[in-house]
Amino acid sequence: MINFINAFWVGGLICVAIQILMDKTKLMPGRIMVMLVCLGAVISFFNWYEPFIEFAGAGATVPLLGFGHVLMKGVKEAVNSDGFMGLFSGGFKAGAVGCGAALIFGYLAGVVFRPKMK
C-alpha cells in the first residue's frame, strides 16, 4: 500500500513542479519536456535514479524524467557491450518499445475518436 502512496505523491510533486515552471517562466512546453528528459538522463548518469525508482515506483518511471533514465540506461548497457558505437544505438534500442507503443496507441485513438482540425 505504501508503494502506491509514494508513487502518487512523488509523481504529483513532479507534476506540480513542472506546472509551476510552466506558469512562472516563459519557457515553452517543448523546451520543458526536453529539459526533463535531459535531467532524467543526468540523474541516471550519476546512478541516483535507481534508488529513486525503488522508493517512488511508477511515480518515478512514468514522467519524462523516467524516459531520460531509460535512454541513459540503454546507452550505458550498449557502451558496455558494443563499445563506442553503443553511444549511438543504446538509446534507440532502449526507448524503441515506449516510442512504438505511443505511436500505435496514438494512431488507434485517432481512428476511434476521429479528431477534427479547427
Side-chain angles (χ1 to χ4, degrees):
M1 182 65 178
I2 194 74
N3 292 340
F4 295 118
I5 293 170
N6 285 342
F8 179 78
W9 76 263
V10 169
L13 192 64
I14 292 170
C15 291
V16 166
I18 300 310
Q19 189 64 50
I20 291 170
L21 188 64
M22 289 175 70
D23 291 344
K24 300 296 181 184
T25 67
K26 293 185 180 187
L27 290 172
M28 300 298 289
R31 291 184 182 189
I32 293 172
M33 290 170 58
V34 169
M35 184 176 65
L36 287 169
V37 172
C38 291
L39 181 63
V42 169
I43 294 170
S44 179
F45 176 79
F46 290 111
N47 294 320
W48 297 337
Y49 213 87
E50 288 295 329
F52 183 49
I53 290 173
E54 288 176 22
F55 173 74
T61 58
V62 172
L64 286 172
L65 291 169
F67 184 64
H69 167 67
V70 166
L71 293 177
M72 181 56 75
K73 187 176 176 183
V75 167
K76 285 181 185 178
E77 291 172 0
V79 166
N80 288 337
S81 65
D82 301 334
F84 179 74
M85 292 306 288
L87 284 173
F88 305 105
S89 64
F92 289 114
K93 289 178 183 176
V97 173
C99 289
L103 288 171
I104 290 168
F105 289 121
Y107 175 75
L108 291 174
V111 168
V112 170
F113 296 107
R114 297 181 187 256
K116 295 186 175 94
M117 297 295 289
K118 292 183 179 182

